[in-house]
Amino acid sequence: MLRCLLFAILTCLFTSTHAQKVILEEIKNLIKEQSQTTSFPDSLYQKNDWDTFEELPISNAIIDWDNIDYGLMNAAIFYATNKYRKQKRREAFLFDHSLRDAAFLHSYLMVQQSFFGHINRKSSKFKTPDKRVELFSDERSATVGENITEVFLLNYTTGTNFRAGEENERLKYYVNDTELQKLTYWQIAKNAVQHWAKSKNHKKNMLNKNFSYLGCAGFIDFRTFNNKKEIPKIKATQVFGG
């Protein structure tokens, strides 16, 4: 119900100051709702590191597209990033819920407003990474960094020919005659980090010694669902703070 309301609101005038305030309030409500239903509340960040998270049964559960645990997804991206940091002999990032909320805001709006980039040209209130962080934090971070990516929800390799067929009112995707399988939360998170690690600037952010805090969030791009020409995917964001 709440998601339908949000979708309706976000189709209105994004440039309106009042509309942007309404959007922000509704997104904050959605974040609150997620915090109450997730299997990985914020309190668990202090009780886990990447290697314990990696072994959790919930982390290795296949994502149910009809009932996505966004809190768990966000945590998976956070811990996959810290695993990469460990491999590169860097200190682990500390979790920051304000950065996570800013990351969720951006991932959500990239889906709703149909764009992909660091600058939101459709909503001035949400235009830049530092502006988005300020909406959720009373303290201004000296430095803010951001990475974004798109990750498939199936074991699909970009550029591979595929076909989609309907079965029991659901699309299934195939490469040759092999059905593409849904991924787990941890697999999707690791794929996201691998994407960033292949880019010089994104890798630089992940390994930057001036960043101590991190918040991550993803949002399913529902526009790629029930679409025979696209593989379902998620838009994901990392937000770094000094």
Side-chain angles (χ1 to χ4, degrees):
M1 179 69 178
L2 178 58
R3 189 169 69 199
C4 293
L5 175 61
L6 283 167
F7 280 21
I9 291 172
L10 289 171
T11 59
C12 297
L13 298 175
F14 286 109
T15 57
S16 163
T17 300
H18 175 70
Q20 291 178 52
K21 288 182 179 179
V22 173
I23 292 166
L24 179 60
E25 188 61 32
E26 293 295 346
I27 289 177
K28 286 183 176 180
N29 288 337
L30 180 56
I31 291 171
K32 182 179 179 180
E33 180 183 283
Q34 291 172 359
S35 71
Q36 296 171 342
T37 59
T38 181
S39 61
F40 200 90
D42 288 357
S43 59
L44 292 182
Y45 279 92
Q46 296 181 346
K47 300 177 181 179
N48 288 274
D49 51 28
W50 69 264
D51 53 347
T52 59
F53 182 89
E54 185 178 40
E55 298 300 322
L56 294 176
I58 55 175
S59 308
N60 295 285
I62 294 174
I63 293 182
D64 178 357
W65 295 356
D66 295 323
N67 187 27
I68 299 163
D69 188 336
Y70 281 106
L72 179 59
M73 178 183 294
N74 301 340
I77 300 171
F78 174 86
Y79 286 113
T81 306
N82 268 345
K83 180 175 183 177
Y84 180 73
R85 289 269 291 189
K86 177 68 173 179
Q87 293 169 344
K88 299 299 180 180
R89 299 182 180 180
R90 295 287 195 274
E91 292 293 325
F93 284 119
L94 300 174
F95 169 70
D96 186 291
H97 67 87
S98 298
L99 299 180
R100 187 271 319 281
D101 293 349
F104 179 79
L105 169 69
H106 193 52
S107 293
Y108 186 90
L109 290 180
M110 282 195 295
V111 171
Q112 287 303 120
Q113 297 178 331
S114 299
F115 77 97
F116 184 75
H118 297 287
I119 304 301
N120 186 332
R121 303 187 186 281
K122 300 183 179 182
S123 302
S124 59
K125 191 178 184 70
F126 315 128
K127 186 173 183 179
T128 62
D130 56 333
K131 278 192 172 186
R132 293 188 285 269
V133 171
E134 289 173 11
L135 295 172
F136 297 96
S137 176
D138 295 329
E139 297 182 8
R140 184 182 180 91
S141 178
T143 54
V144 172
E146 183 181 82
N147 286 344
I148 58 175
T149 192
E150 295 179 308
V151 185
F152 296 117
L153 295 175
L154 302 170
N155 61 331
Y156 171 75
T157 302
T158 302
T160 305
N161 291 328
F162 71 92
R163 64 179 178 85
E166 190 169 334
E167 184 176 323
N168 296 325
E169 299 183 350
R170 288 292 185 97
L171 286 182
K172 291 191 175 183
Y173 302 82
Y174 301 85
V175 171
N176 296 324
D177 291 324
T178 302
E179 182 182 350
L180 297 176
Q181 300 300 306
K182 293 182 178 180
L183 300 180
T184 67
Y185 288 92
W186 188 237
Q187 287 173 324
I188 289 172
K190 289 192 297 181
N191 287 348
V193 172
Q194 288 174 4
H195 286 188
W196 286 316
K198 292 177 181 178
S199 163
K200 180 179 178 180
N201 289 334
H202 294 101
K203 179 179 179 179
K204 184 178 180 180
N205 275 341
M206 290 195 293
L207 299 181
N208 192 331
K209 294 181 179 180
N210 294 322
F211 292 139
S212 300
Y213 298 92
L214 174 67
C216 304
F219 194 74
I220 298 295
D221 190 346
F222 288 99
R223 300 175 192 278
T224 61
F225 281 53
N226 297 318
N227 184 341
K228 293 184 177 182
K229 296 182 179 180
E230 291 191 67
I231 298 291
K233 61 188 175 184
I234 177 178
K235 289 186 176 180
T237 305
Q238 294 171 312
V239 179
F240 307 88

